[in-house]
Amino acid sequence: MMKCFGADLEEFQPWCFVVFIWNQLEVADSSSSSTTRAAQNVVTCIYQCKLRGRSCLITVSWTKNLMGQGLSVGIDELGNHCLCKVDIKPWLFSKRKGSKNLEVESSKIDILWDLSCAKFGSGPEPLEGFYLAVLFNQEMVLLLGDLKKEACKKIDSDYAKVHSDAIFIAKREHIFGKKFYGAKAQFSDKGQVHDVRIECDTLGLNDPCLVIRIDSKTVMQVKQLKWKFRGNHTILVDGLPVEVFWDVHNWLFGNAMGNAVFMFQTCISTEKLWTGQSVSDPSVLTWAYSQQFRDSQLQGLGFSLILYAWKNE
C-alpha cells in the first residue's frame, strides 16, 4: 500500500525521525543534507560487530574532494560512547597504505589499510583492489575489500581461520544526476548486490512522475508528484519487504540547489519502532529514541539505505 502525505508533515514524522537518528549515528560526517553538494561526495557505512562480547558500531566513511580520496573510521559502543576515531587524510598528503595503532581502555585497536591498487568509479568508495581491516586485541572484527588474503599476510594470520562477524546494517550515500540517479544496494548482509535507479524529471512538467527501478525492473511509480511529494511504499526485493520513503519537496518547491531524500528500509515492521511514541514535536527526539532505533538495528530487524539525490546543473 502506498502512503503519500503531501504537506501533512506530522504524519510523515516517523521517517523524518529515522533520518534524524541516522545523523546521530553518523560519527564520521557531521555535515547535513542542507550544505552544498560540493562537500557531499561521501559514502558512509555502518557495521555491527562485537568488542569484549558487547555489540558496537564501526562507521567507515569514504570521501572524495579536490585533494583526492579520504577515509575515516570510527568505533562506538552503544550509548553513543565513542571509543576511537581515525581520519586518514586524502592521498595528496598521506600514503595509500598504512596502519594506526591505538590503546583504548587497556585494549589494543589496530586499523590497517591498503588502497595502493584500489580502483574507483565516479564515487568515493573503492570498487576493488583494496582492504581495510580493524583488529581488537589482535582479533579481526571487520575486514572489507577483495584483498583479504593480503590483509591476513599483513597481520601474519591464516586466511582460512580469519572470521569476522561484522554485519552491514546501514549506508548513507550522496548521488548526482539530472533525471536519472543510480546506486548499488545490498538489502541483506549476505544478499545480492542490486542496481537501484531513481527517475524523476521535474523541469517544465505540469505532472512530474517518480519511478524507482531495481535491476531495471519497475518496482514503484508515483504520479501527481506535486501532491505526493512525501510518502512511503512497500516493495519486495529478494523476497524481503523493503519500505521505500521519499521526500522530493526541495526538487519541486525548494531551492534549485536542494536535494531529495530516499530511504530503503528492510525492517520487518517499521511501525513497531514508533508504537506508543509521539514524535510530532521535534524536542522529543532524544537519545532514548536514538537508543531504541540502534537496538532495533542490532537485533537484526533490517538494513537502512539513505540516498541524498542532488540535481546537477
Side-chain angles (χ1 to χ4, degrees), residues 232-296:
N232 65 293
H233 179 62
T234 304
I235 64 175
L236 287 178
V237 181
D238 297 333
L240 296 173
V242 176
E243 195 76 7
V244 181
F245 299 83
W246 71 90
D247 183 346
V248 297
H249 180 274
N250 284 345
W251 280 357
L252 296 169
F253 311 108
N255 190 321
M257 299 291 287
N259 65 289
V261 190
F262 300 87
M263 187 177 79
F264 298 78
Q265 170 67 48
T266 61
C267 184
I268 294 173
S269 177
T270 54
E271 292 181 0
K272 291 181 180 179
L273 299 178
W274 325 121
T275 302
Q277 306 290 357
S278 174
V279 294
S280 58
D281 181 357
S283 65
V284 305
L285 299 177
T286 62
W287 174 88
Y289 296 153
S290 175
Q291 183 68 37
Q292 181 191 28
F293 181 76
R294 294 164 71 108
D295 288 345
S296 72

Side-chain angles (χ1 to χ4, degrees), residues 220-239:
M220 61 169 282
Q221 183 176 16
V222 183
K223 297 181 178 180
Q224 296 180 328
L225 199 58
K226 288 186 177 180
W227 296 99
K228 303 174 182 178
F229 51 83
R230 295 187 183 103
N232 65 293
H233 179 62
T234 304
I235 64 175
L236 287 178
V237 181
D238 297 333

Side-chain angles (χ1 to χ4, degrees), residues 89-149:
K89 296 179 181 179
W91 313 145
L92 185 62
F93 301 110
S94 64
K95 297 180 180 179
R96 295 187 175 215
K97 182 178 181 179
S99 63
K100 294 278 188 179
N101 312 108
L102 306 117
E103 291 283 341
V104 179
E105 298 180 358
S106 301
S107 298
K108 183 180 180 182
I109 296 178
D110 299 294
I111 300 175
L112 305 90
W113 68 94
D114 186 351
L115 297 107
S116 55
C117 297
K119 295 182 179 179
F120 294 85
S122 58
E125 193 175 16
L127 304 176
E128 59 180 339
F130 78 101
Y131 71 74
L132 171 65
V134 179
L135 290 83
F136 183 80
N137 289 338
Q138 298 183 329
E139 289 188 10
M140 188 77 72
V141 293
L142 178 66
L143 180 57
L144 304 179
D146 57 332
L147 300 185
K148 293 181 172 63
K149 290 184 178 180

Side-chain angles (χ1 to χ4, degrees), residues 28-29 41-45 59-73 85-97 113 115 118 120 123-126 130 132:
D29 174 26
N41 204 347
V42 56
V43 173
T44 303
C45 303
T59 303
V60 178
S61 283
W62 305 92
T63 59
K64 182 179 180 181
N65 55 38
L66 294 177
M67 298 295 102
Q69 301 335 95
L71 171 62
S72 175
V73 180
K85 180 181 177 182
V86 173
D87 290 309
I88 300 164
K89 296 179 181 179
W91 313 145
L92 185 62
F93 301 110
S94 64
K95 297 180 180 179
R96 295 187 175 215
K97 182 178 181 179
W113 68 94
L115 297 107
F120 294 85
E125 193 175 16
F130 78 101
L132 171 65

